Amino acid sequence: MGAVLGRALLAPGWTSQQESGLGNWSRLCSSAGDPGAPHWWPGSGGRWQGSRPGEAELSLGEQKSGQVGNYKRTVKRIDDGHRLCSDLMNCLHERARIEKAYAQQLTEWARRWRQLVEKGPQYGTVEKAWMAVMSEAEKVSELHLEVKASLMNEDFEKIKNWQKEAFHKQMMGGFKETKEAEDGFRKAQKPWAKKLKEVEAAKKAYHAACKEEKLAISRESNSKVDPSLNPEQLKKLQDKVEKCKQDVLKTKEKYEKSLKELDQSTPQYMENMEQVFEQCQQFEEKRLRFFREVLLEVQKHLDLSNVSSYKNIYRELEQSLKAADAVEDLRWFRANHGPGMSMNWPQFEEWSADMNRTLSRREKKKPTDGVTLTGINQTGDQALQNKPSSVSSYEKTQSYPTDWSDDESNNPFSSTDANGDSNPFDEDATSGSEVRVRALYDYEGQEHDELSFKAGDELTKIEDEDEQGWCKGRLDNGQVGLYPANYVEAIQ
């Protein structure tokens, strides 16, 4: 290192590159010139090596103004550490907001599509599978809210507390740690910087003496060919040359002496600077290790693949999707809305005088007053209709015409043709508001003006309940008749 700081000054060409390399602590870089220089010493290539990515490189000529005091980058790194803590907190805070917004969007998406599927025509086990996708979104939403809480309540607070403990603000501004580092570098450099000024002054005096000697010799040479000069003038010129040579020897001796003293003080200077620099390194090492620790914690919170409940969500989703059975759904649809559904086929009836009498609603009694309703059949089929199963979504506000529909226009065995009588309720019932209702129980009409239906069937109520508890309604096949009001419920 002495060659860099001392002996290099003996070279006739004192370059700005050599001069600017003195005491520069601004970069942690590799030595490119002196094999004895520390790894953070400036290289000889004219550029500072090892600068941070994205940081503009400073030429040695630009660094020259700092000279001895060029340790500012190392000191500034302490202030940068505080700013980086704030940047990391802002980074996590922004990610937490993203997690919260994503969770809210998942929840809203699941709610909206759950309603659409429930009201849509899908039915059976495939409907269950579809609903499972919405359940997955709701559960994942909860996990992302937990991620947001972990980022803010654990990681964010951890960085905030560490920053407060590591950096201590001063009343006059800045941080205590920054001032201590700067004072340490300044104190370590002060003795060596003083000797450096003496060397520069001695060098300047020596160079001036050399210049004066060269000028005196030139004048003496020119005087020898000048006949106008007398011997006394020539003698003065010769004395001037002799005096300049003596001045050169004196200034050179002083220059070499000051340079030697500077060279001798360099090791101590380097040692003192190393001590202060290592203290800064230790402080920075704590920050770097802390950042690594925090980022690993962040990774654990973000990585849902290691969360057992997250794995269970998709295990359950897979089971629900694989449970969808097209054959079962088709069988159910055939039994409830196809050829397999129970039909009220016409039966042979003996003629009687009472057969032509049409009962009015006033003559009918409520089921609780002793009317025998042979159509009530609460069996396993009814339970299947009431529980939230694959049948639930099909019982919607829509009706689906089929080739085997028992609509009056297509059914050759309608009640009017079979009995030879007309139904008094076949006229258009447009009075009042019509309401869609769903049957709670099976009911088989006891009179020709009564409707028959199964639990879960939908029909349209066209008149409100009368005093006897009977309503007038219309089946999807167009048949109009009476039914007990307490055997149905309105479809919401």
Side-chain angles (χ1 to χ4, degrees):
M1 180 52 67
V4 176
L5 298 180
R7 296 185 181 85
L9 297 177
L10 295 175
W14 176 261
T15 64
S16 61
Q17 289 186 355
Q18 291 169 328
E19 180 181 358
S20 62
L22 301 179
N24 192 305
W25 300 81
S26 66
R27 293 285 188 274
L28 307 184
C29 57
S30 302
S31 173
D34 185 358
H39 63 281
W40 40 262
W41 200 255
S44 61
R47 291 280 175 178
W48 295 95
Q49 304 175 15
S51 58
R52 295 186 305 171
E55 185 181 62
E57 293 180 333
L58 301 178
S59 67
L60 290 175
E62 293 169 337
Q63 291 279 349
K64 180 178 177 180
S65 60
Q67 293 186 2
V68 172
N70 256 342
Y71 48 79
K72 300 298 182 182
R73 178 63 187 90
T74 303
V75 175
K76 183 177 180 297
R77 186 175 60 173
I78 299 176
D79 293 335
D80 290 343
H82 182 274
R83 180 178 60 82
L84 289 171
C85 288
S86 299
D87 289 346
L88 184 54
M89 286 191 289
N90 291 335
C91 176
L92 296 184
H93 187 214
E94 186 173 339
R95 177 57 185 267
R97 290 201 303 267
I98 293 174
E99 294 290 336
K100 181 180 179 180
Y102 179 57
Q104 291 174 342
Q105 291 175 357
L106 279 179
T107 301
E108 177 60 24
W109 174 83
R111 183 193 65 79
R112 186 168 64 89
W113 275 99
R114 185 182 295 278
Q115 292 177 352
L116 291 175
V117 174
E118 286 177 349
K119 295 178 180 179
Q122 184 57 59
Y123 59 90
T125 58
V126 173
E127 181 193 19
K128 284 185 176 180
W130 196 343
M131 287 295 188
V133 176
M134 271 67 83
S135 298
E136 174 269 343
E138 293 169 345
K139 295 175 182 177
V140 172
S141 172
E142 295 177 359
L143 290 180
H144 280 281
L145 288 177
E146 293 177 4
V147 171
K148 175 257 180 185
S150 297
L151 291 176
M152 292 304 299
N153 299 336
E154 298 180 28
D155 302 329
F156 184 92
E157 290 297 324
K158 188 174 184 179
I159 301 171
K160 182 179 178 181
N161 294 334
W162 188 90
Q163 182 189 44
K164 187 176 181 181
E165 294 174 359
F167 299 92
H168 302 86
K169 290 186 177 181
Q170 299 183 116
M171 294 183 62
M172 302 301 294
F175 298 102
K176 175 184 176 183
E177 291 73 20
T178 304
K179 187 176 185 306
E180 288 177 350
E182 189 167 5
D183 291 346
F185 279 123
R186 188 181 291 111
K187 182 179 179 180
Q189 286 188 340
K190 187 175 181 180
W192 193 86
K194 182 178 180 181
K195 292 184 181 296
L196 177 62
K197 288 183 179 180
E198 294 175 357
V199 169
E200 291 175 344
K203 180 191 72 171
K204 184 177 181 180
Y206 170 66
H207 288 177
C210 291
K211 182 179 180 181
E212 190 67 23
E213 179 190 24
K214 183 178 180 181
L215 182 61
I217 293 174
S218 177
R219 287 175 180 175
E220 181 190 17
S221 299
N222 294 334
S223 66
K224 291 179 180 180
V225 295
D226 188 357
S228 62
L229 295 178
N230 56 41
E232 183 179 353
Q233 291 176 327
L234 293 175
K235 179 71 165 105
K236 287 183 178 180
L237 291 175
Q238 292 174 355
D239 293 343
K240 179 66 173 177
V241 170
E242 190 64 27
K243 182 177 182 301
C244 287
K245 288 183 177 180
Q246 293 177 359
D247 290 343
V248 168
L249 292 175
K250 289 180 181 179
T251 54
K252 182 179 180 180
E253 181 181 357
K254 185 177 181 180
Y255 182 23
E256 290 177 339
K257 181 181 178 181
S258 60
L259 194 57
K260 183 178 180 181
E261 292 177 353
L262 179 67
D263 195 17
Q264 292 174 348
S265 64
T266 296
Q268 183 63 44
Y269 161 69
M270 293 297 299
E271 181 180 348
N272 295 340
M273 293 295 285
E274 281 277 6
Q275 291 178 357
V276 181
F277 182 78
E278 283 304 318
Q279 292 175 1
C280 295
Q281 287 287 83
Q282 292 173 7
F283 184 82
E284 177 68 2
E285 182 181 9
K286 292 180 181 178
R287 185 190 68 82
L288 295 175
R289 290 186 180 277
F290 172 73
F291 269 41
R292 180 180 182 274
E293 177 187 343
V294 169
L295 292 174
L296 285 174
E297 291 295 324
V298 171
Q299 180 266 332
K300 291 180 181 178
H301 293 147
L302 295 178
D303 187 4
L304 295 178
S305 63
N306 293 326
V307 180
S308 59
S309 57
Y310 184 78
K311 297 178 181 178
N312 293 336
I313 290 174
Y314 290 97
R315 189 178 298 112
E316 294 173 0
L317 175 61
E318 182 181 9
Q319 294 174 354
S320 299
L321 297 181
K322 289 183 176 180
D325 189 341
V327 175
E328 179 183 344
D329 290 354
L330 294 174
R331 185 185 300 116
W332 176 89
F333 193 89
R334 181 184 182 88
N336 290 273
H337 301 280
M341 64 185 298
S342 58
M343 301 291 291
N344 186 19
W345 299 108
Q347 301 291 330
F348 178 80
E349 299 180 16
E350 290 289 349
W351 180 87
S352 66
D354 296 333
M355 197 167 187
N356 293 331
R357 184 172 62 89
T358 301
L359 297 179
S360 66
R361 287 176 293 169
R362 296 284 183 177
E363 294 175 293
K364 295 187 179 291
K365 299 181 180 180
K366 295 182 180 180
T368 55
D369 294 337
V371 176
T372 302
L373 302 176
T374 59
I376 300 177
N377 180 22
Q378 297 188 13
T379 63
D381 294 337
Q382 175 198 344
L384 181 63
Q385 297 287 342
N386 292 332
K387 68 179 182 179
S389 65
S390 60
V391 200
S392 61
S393 70
Y394 185 78
E395 308 302 330
K396 305 297 189 294
T397 58
Q398 303 180 17
S399 60
Y400 300 92
T402 62
D403 293 338
W404 50 81
S405 170
D406 46 358
D407 189 286
E408 290 296 323
S409 61
N410 298 327
N411 188 358
F413 304 103
S414 63
S415 59
T416 55
D417 294 337
N419 297 330
D421 299 322
S422 61
N423 192 326
F425 300 103
D426 281 348
E427 66 274 7
D428 291 336
T430 58
S431 61
S433 60
E434 296 185 352
V435 179
R436 292 289 291 176
V437 295
R438 180 183 292 115
L440 295 174
Y441 315 99
D442 293 351
Y443 179 73
E444 185 174 353
Q446 302 301 304
E447 302 290 344
H448 68 90
D449 60 347
E450 296 179 9
L451 299 177
S452 297
F453 45 75
K454 298 290 185 180
D457 288 349
E458 295 180 8
L459 58 150
T460 303
K461 182 180 73 171
I462 58 179
E463 284 186 11
D464 294 331
E465 178 182 357
D466 62 10
E467 296 83 358
Q468 302 298 324
W470 291 83
C471 288
K472 186 177 182 180
R474 181 176 63 249
L475 297 178
D476 290 341
N477 60 14
Q479 181 182 354
V480 178
L482 300 176
Y483 63 89
N486 58 351
Y487 273 62
V488 299
E489 64 176 357
I491 299 176
Q492 300 297 327

